[in-house]
Amino acid sequence: MKTEDEEMEDQLSKEEIVSEDKEFDYRTIIKENFFIIWDKTSLLGESATLNCVTTHKDQKLLEHIFDVNIQTSKSPQTVVLYGAAGIGKTTLLKKAVLEWADGNLYQQFTHVFYLSGREISQEKEKNFAQLISKHWPSSEGPIEQILCKPSSLLFILDSFDELDFSFEEPEFALCRDWTQKHPVSFLISSLLRKVMLPESYLLVTTRTTAWKRLVPLLQKPHRVKLPGLSRSSRIDYIHHLLKDKTWAMNAVCSIRMNAKLFNMCHVCHVCQMICTFLKEQVEKGGNVEMTCQTSTALFTYYICSLFPRIAGSSVTLPNETLLRSLCQAAVEGIWTMKHVLYQQNLRKHELTREDLSLFLEANVLQQDTECENCYTFTHLQVQEYFAALFYLLRENPEEKDHPLEPFENVHLLLESNHFHDPHLEQMKCFLFGLLNKDRVQQLEETFNLTISRAVREELLVCLEALEKDDSPLSQLRIQDLLHCIYETQDEEFITQALTYFQKIMVKVDEESKLLIYSYCLKHCHSLQTVRLTARADLRNMLDPTAEICLEDAAVRIIHYWQDLFSVLHTNESLLEMDLYESRLDESLMKILNEEFSHPKCNLQKVMFRAVCFLNSCYDFSFLAFNNTVTHLDLKDTDLGDNGVKTLCEALKYQGCKLRVLRLESCDLNVTHCQNLSKALQSNRSLVFLNLSTNSLSNDGVKSLCEVLENPNCPLERLALASCGLTKVGCEVLSSALTKTKRLTHLCLAHNVLEDEGIELLSYTLRHPRCTLQSLVLRCCYFTPIGSEHLSTALQNNKSLIHLDLGFNKLADSGVKLLCQTLQQPNCNLQELELMGCVLTSEACGDLASVLVNNSNLWNLDLGNNILDDAGLNILCEALRNPNCQIRRLGLENCGLTPGCCQDLLDLLSNNQSVIQMNLMKNSLDYEAIRNLCKVLRSPTCKMEFLALDKKDLFKKKIKKFLVDVRINNPHLVIRPQCPNTESGCWWQYF
């Protein structure tokens, strides 16, 4: 039982709590600040019903983002909600905060704080408590009580991309005390990096393009994407907006044919803007198809409509200086991914309130209703358009007396790609689109100015420079540029722009891409190689409810394919077509066969690598009619019985001129091999055949040997790696090798031949009628015993010049036997591969004797053996001998350390023969590479190629030395991989 005094204390305590709630009701404050009438803020005047449908789906997404992770049994502490500009992130979050205030959402949090990126950017210096209580009616709120339990707090940082901060503060400078005053940028950085209130929860929203800037600040963030309208929802919404069925279907098809426009429509209010404008165009008698042909065309019509030059119009036209200032503000914002014009931005670009009023009236800009002196473009695409216009209006960069800003550099813009720089893509596309004469004329008439053509010539110069770039990113960049070049719709420019490109890689997985590539490739007259991933099932991607589109789709798509592949006979320079990972159907195969068989088709190489022939539509009949195709590659393609049958029929044609046939990893079996062998009995052109990585077994090889024994067989090179051969197959093969007249190259890698199989092959090598010049026995599971057999064979062989024994357990004793033979004056071997042969430094003495005494040997690969510094010391002494003729030396992963540096320096300084060397995967430190560079930079250094690890080449401290080498010794190439040569895996590069 409580005493009377205790009961009185309890009552007083309850009264105090009630009193506090009345004085400070945080949830009520939230409602007053965030209450929104959803009907008024629905999608630009659209019905609340549609808005509720779209937000209901997104709200469901938001409800579960703090759910417990099944794997970690914890809720994510930091969540990033990302999506395109205008997709509804802010609206969704404000509604979520209201739902929390009403007790319907996130009730695991006692307090939810909403921080606007736009508002925060205008704050100067505060403490964190002041920042989060800015909108409270009194400064006497229980802030200390609230922040003392951070694990129950959720901080929502909305629009990270609108923060005007650099976030370059070092970790030690950040703040942990929420009562201390700091620049607001420090406070936000401390919150994001979990320095301040680390137990609290974070929900951050950002545009997709700003993701890279945000990630380094966060600890293990959970990502949630706000997708916007799906493809089918977009179509439904466009129909809903256009209503008039007589032309709405055509408008839908026109929008869908422009991938960029259709993608923009996944943001509801952008979709409505486009549809509203199209309706106005139709009412004025405009052509929807022409307006939608390119995104630049549509937005040029749209921008010009905002500045009508008609009597009675209240809109005032900006002069050229003012327009240039706005464009410069736009372009800088796009480059830096900052899309709000704050007061400091306006001052920097000399834009006054009076200037801005002109653009506000024209609906180009909009003023923030909550933040004073904050302006944004009405749509991101409007900003991107004016940013592109900057390059047409800017003053001549060459006349400037100060360095160019990054955003002024057109070459940097063209170097960007959609993967690494997605924020620049649409602006770049608009820039090319603005080269179109009609677009220029529209702008000149609208704004009463003259636009220079200088940027046109500048772009052509940049394109020529980019074509010379052979980096892995170059082809990704070319794909982006094809989309941009198409945007010009200017045949003269397109022909000039594409003159520089000899190799193009593209993937056609949408109808709009098919249209773009078919248009561009026809103007690429210097094109020699095309790698095209074609998807014949494009029509399946169309919406089945779009009846008119479906009726025309098949005919239209076939026409586009015909247009695309017509380049095979219209472009005389085109020599190679690679259809890697394509999905081909009968109609596409028919088009290809017609083009391959065309008398003006000059193709030499046709590649169907990893191709799916839908419904077994194999057709190689073009081989009978094409006199130029000599190379057919079907690697990684499952041919099946029908495919092999069709191929065999083609090989029998008298008109077949095929010289190289690659059937690696085609799932061939013994029966397939037997059928192929029968076809080869009558073929008189094939000199190279690769059947590696197929289950041929000894029986399949037996049928091939019958072909080899035919005196009319033209085969010179045969690759049978990983074909299931054993010593039994070696016996049949050995017999055939003594009867064939032409076979010079044989690859038997990755077959379990063992010592017995090697013994049989060795007998063949001793035979005077053996014509082999190259023999690859990599990973054939033999030992020093097999090495002894080969040593004996080499004493009597006069033809063999290349021998690959890599990844067999020869050990030092096995190599010792080989070296005794290699020192003999009658040994003709020129290339020896001993990678991964379990060698140590003890073998280096025998190898050194070979280097000094064998004048024929010029290529030696000792990679993946533990030679250590001691072994290299022995080799280097021999390599410096004037009798040594080694030009290519492989030392990858040989256990070398900085201790071998002096030997390498002496070798590079005094050696006169070695011009290529592989030093990858060795523990060479900074000092060792720096000292190597001192020798390599000398113009007297004979080295032409050096392979070093990528991690070393990209270290900042080492880069400057490599640049110095490149400047002073330009003939030397240093890369993190070896060049593809016929040495080693010749069957892979033929």
Side-chain angles (χ1 to χ4, degrees), residues 2 40 124 182 241 253-254 300 333 367 370 478 506 552 567-568 585 683 690 715 796 830 845 864 935 957:
K2 289 184 178 180
K40 291 185 179 180
K124 299 301 180 187
H182 287 278
L241 291 168
C253 288
S254 296
T300 302
Q367 187 171 10
E370 298 176 15
I478 288 173
V506 291
D552 300 335
V567 70
L568 291 170
D585 63 5
N683 183 283
N690 188 344
L715 270 180
N796 302 295
Q830 297 178 15
N864 290 288
V935 176
K957 290 197 296 185

Side-chain angles (χ1 to χ4, degrees), residues 101-135:
D102 283 333
N104 300 325
L105 190 66
Y106 299 156
Q107 291 310 293
Q108 67 267 42
F109 303 116
T110 58
H111 291 79
V112 174
F113 298 97
Y114 175 89
L115 302 169
S116 164
R118 195 173 298 184
E119 286 186 26
I120 291 171
S121 290
Q122 298 192 94
E123 300 287 355
K124 299 301 180 187
E125 190 174 277
K126 286 189 173 184
N127 65 41
F128 191 68
Q130 291 172 328
L131 187 67
I132 63 175
S133 59
K134 177 182 177 181
H135 296 292

Side-chain angles (χ1 to χ4, degrees), residues 603-663:
L603 276 184
Q604 295 177 7
K605 290 186 178 183
V606 177
M607 285 168 274
F608 292 99
R609 294 185 298 171
V611 166
C612 175
F613 291 90
L614 301 170
N615 300 318
S616 298
C617 63
Y618 310 98
D619 189 351
F620 306 108
S621 58
F622 66 88
L623 292 173
F625 309 104
N626 187 297
N627 293 320
T628 61
V629 173
T630 58
H631 186 127
L632 179 63
D633 186 348
L634 292 159
K635 181 182 178 182
D636 293 321
T637 296
D638 185 359
L639 292 175
D641 295 340
N642 289 339
V644 172
K645 180 182 177 182
T646 307
L647 178 61
C648 289
E649 289 173 356
L651 290 172
K652 293 176 185 177
Y653 293 140
Q654 286 187 352
C656 177
K657 304 298 181 185
L658 208 60
R659 291 175 59 79
V660 177
L661 177 60
R662 295 188 55 170
L663 298 171

Side-chain angles (χ1 to χ4, degrees), residues 9 172 179 235-236 290 335 440 485 538 645 681 685 700 721:
E9 284 180 13
F172 67 83
T179 64
I235 294 169
D236 291 341
M290 288 299 295
W335 273 87
V440 170
I485 290 168
L538 281 180
K645 180 182 177 182
Q681 290 284 8
S685 63

Side-chain angles (χ1 to χ4, degrees), residues 622-744:
F622 66 88
L623 292 173
F625 309 104
N626 187 297
N627 293 320
T628 61
V629 173
T630 58
H631 186 127
L632 179 63
D633 186 348
L634 292 159
K635 181 182 178 182
D636 293 321
T637 296
D638 185 359
L639 292 175
D641 295 340
N642 289 339
V644 172
K645 180 182 177 182
T646 307
L647 178 61
C648 289
E649 289 173 356
L651 290 172
K652 293 176 185 177
Y653 293 140
Q654 286 187 352
C656 177
K657 304 298 181 185
L658 208 60
R659 291 175 59 79
V660 177
L661 177 60
R662 295 188 55 170
L663 298 171
E664 187 177 355
S665 303
C666 288
D667 202 23
L668 303 181
N669 55 35
V670 175
T671 305
H672 295 147
C673 189
Q674 291 169 343
N675 293 335
L676 189 62
S677 298
K678 290 177 184 177
L680 292 176
Q681 290 284 8
S682 57
N683 183 283
R684 295 293 174 265
S685 63
L686 202 68
V687 296
F688 175 89
L689 177 62
N690 188 344
L691 294 170
S692 298
T693 323
N694 288 294
S695 302
L696 306 186
S697 75
N698 297 320
D699 291 336
V701 172
K702 183 180 179 180
S703 64
L704 278 172
C705 288
E706 294 173 3
V707 178
L708 291 173
E709 292 175 1
N710 185 332
N712 295 318
C713 175
L715 270 180
E716 297 174 4
R717 302 187 176 206
L718 178 63
L720 297 171
S722 301
C723 283
L725 272 71
T726 66
K727 59 185 178 182
V728 177
C730 285
E731 187 172 356
V732 181
L733 194 56
S734 297
S735 174
L737 290 174
T738 61
K739 297 175 183 177
T740 179
K741 294 183 178 180
R742 294 185 176 85
L743 195 71
T744 58

Side-chain angles (χ1 to χ4, degrees), residues 195-338:
V195 172
M196 181 186 291
L197 303 170
E199 299 89 358
S200 65
Y201 286 75
L202 278 175
L203 174 54
V204 185
T205 72
T206 184
R207 294 184 183 185
T208 308
T209 51
W211 173 254
K212 283 197 299 184
R213 198 161 63 98
L214 172 60
V215 167
L217 304 174
L218 304 178
Q219 296 177 9
K220 298 179 181 178
H222 174 56
R223 297 172 62 176
V224 178
K225 183 177 182 179
L226 201 59
L229 295 174
S230 66
R231 294 174 67 90
S232 58
S233 296
R234 267 174 265 173
I235 294 169
D236 291 341
Y237 191 37
I238 293 170
H239 277 292
H240 172 81
L241 291 168
L242 297 177
K243 293 183 173 60
D244 188 343
K245 291 185 178 180
T246 57
W247 66 276
M249 186 65 74
N250 289 330
V252 170
C253 288
S254 296
I255 293 172
R256 290 193 56 177
M257 283 302 295
N258 186 324
K260 289 190 178 294
L261 276 186
F262 191 54
N263 183 56
M264 290 176 191
C265 288
H266 84 291
V267 177
C268 292
H269 73 87
V270 177
C271 185
Q272 189 186 32
M273 182 273 287
I274 290 172
C275 290
T276 302
F277 177 69
L278 288 178
K279 284 175 71 174
E280 293 174 1
Q281 285 290 99
V282 170
E283 289 167 2
K284 294 176 182 177
N287 186 316
V288 171
E289 188 176 344
M290 288 299 295
T291 304
C292 293
Q293 187 174 27
T294 66
S295 54
T296 313
L298 186 141
F299 275 88
T300 302
Y301 283 117
Y302 173 69
I303 297 297
C304 290
S305 73
L306 300 178
F307 297 91
R309 298 189 67 190
I310 54 176
S313 171
S314 61
V315 177
T316 306
L317 290 178
N319 60 44
E320 188 172 342
T321 302
L322 178 54
L323 188 59
R324 186 183 294 117
S325 295
L326 182 72
C327 290
Q328 186 165 337
V331 73
E332 189 171 2
I334 294 296
W335 273 87
T336 58
M337 290 181 281
K338 295 177 181 177

